[in-house]
Amino acid sequence: MTDTLTLTRPDDWHLHFRDGDMLLETVPATAAVFRRAIVMPNLTPPVIRVADAQAYRERILAALPAGTDFEPLMVLYLTEATTPADIAAAAASGIVYGCKLYPAGATTNSDSGVRDPSAIMALYEAMEKHGMPLQVHGEVTEPEIDIFDREKLFIDRYLLTIRQRFPDLKIIFEHVTTREGVQFVQDHDSHTAATVTPQHLMMNRNDLLAGGIRPHNYCLPVLKRREHQLSIQQAVLGGDARFFLGTDSAPHARNKKEAACGCAGCYSAPAALPLYAAFFEEHGALSRLEAFASHFGADFYGLPRNTDTVTLKRDPWQVPAHIHAAGETLVPWQAGVALQWRLA
Ligand code: DOR
Ligand code: ZN
């Protein structure tokens, strides 16, 4: 049995740091393992212009422990007021690595998002022209549509058209949760990819709803049936380079999750790499972890792979029950669970 595992330093291709004092928890937690992260822009107010991204980037860098070389990869939040000139400015900035499409109302802080994703074709066109990737939260938002069908419907109604009209646009189907999402990515060329969270890889909707409701497993898009989980697992375990690590780590205070109307999001950053390692090992595929965590994402974004390494050692530990941050209590995802691998 292998007891140490050295891999190219990984990157997190989908992450929520939040802002203010919360950065003092989230930034060190991620920078301890990952070299870069795609930083989601759903702050209040959202990161809409290059100047917002620049200022947010500075706040993140200020929260880095001394001597760490973490690099935040900033993202603009698309709104109905975003212009092609904003996209051009983002491309010229050197600090923005994508634009995020939040259908209005789809998730946390998405109220400023886009009501009709087919009404912003000029923005996709500008992004294609400037080589700016599109990160998609792929769910329709009409209240009458069953929450378990929202991802498939988004693909049918919007994404297939966008994919066909802008063949050179890089599209990342964020936090894929369904067989149809996996299929959409696999049916297209190398300009189409997906991020995969630990919860969508390791869990299905029974882990949310069977035997009691488990608010710390609640995220959006919501966990789906086991058959969908299996198709995500198959893509990842098969070594398909279009599927790579994106934790979607997203802290919410304990009292906002354990509530009558609980917030969506799993704070997985403190255990992210050991969690993915546990999944790969359980499926006899530990040798595939490195490409998923450290190669495929960089290759897709056209960025150099990292040249340094991280080492995991087999040394059992438990995910902490609580973390205190910014005057709040956080319950990390998989709190109390025993993990075999830890960062050396
Ligand atoms: O579960 C989620 N939490 N899904 C999202 O899309 C957003 C995220 C958050 O920001 O809390
Ligand atoms: Zn997210």
Side-chain angles (χ1 to χ4, degrees), residues 148 204-214:
F148 293 101
N204 60 66
R205 65 194 199 178
N206 280 4
D207 297 290
L208 177 65
L209 295 169
I213 188 158
R214 294 172 203 278

Side-chain angles (χ1 to χ4, degrees), residues 16 35 63 85 92 134 171 202 207 218 240 268 288 301 310 322:
H16 299 268
R35 169 73 173 73
L134 174 67
I171 297 179
M202 300 170 81
D207 297 290
Y218 176 58
D240 187 327
S268 58
R288 294 237 150 119
Y301 272 88
V310 292
H322 312 112

Side-chain angles (χ1 to χ4, degrees), residues 14 16 40 100 102 175 248:
H14 184 136
H16 299 268
M40 287 297 158
K100 178 78 183 271
Y102 283 108
H175 40 51
D248 199 16

Side-chain angles (χ1 to χ4, degrees), residues 14 16 18 42 100 102 106-109 137 175 199 218-221 248 250-252 263-266:
H14 184 136
H16 299 268
R18 312 301 189 207
N42 60 334
K100 178 78 183 271
Y102 283 108
T107 187
T108 310
N109 295 341
H137 183 113
H175 40 51
Q199 64 268 25
Y218 176 58
C219 65
L220 287 171
D248 199 16
H252 291 274
C263 291
C266 302

Side-chain angles (χ1 to χ4, degrees), residues 43 49 120 132 161 174 196-197 229 236 253 271 297 319:
L43 306 181
R49 302 235 150 66
I120 55 165
M132 180 63 66
T161 311
E174 298 294 341
V196 181
T197 76
Q229 180 195 6
V236 167
V319 180

Side-chain angles (χ1 to χ4, degrees), residues 11 13 196-197 201 236 243-246 276 280 288-297:
D11 304 300
W13 300 98
V196 181
T197 76
L201 205 48
V236 167
F243 295 81
F244 45 80
L245 185 157
Y276 284 109
F280 279 85
R288 294 237 150 119
L289 172 65
E290 181 179 34
F292 171 80
S294 314
H295 297 163
F296 296 157

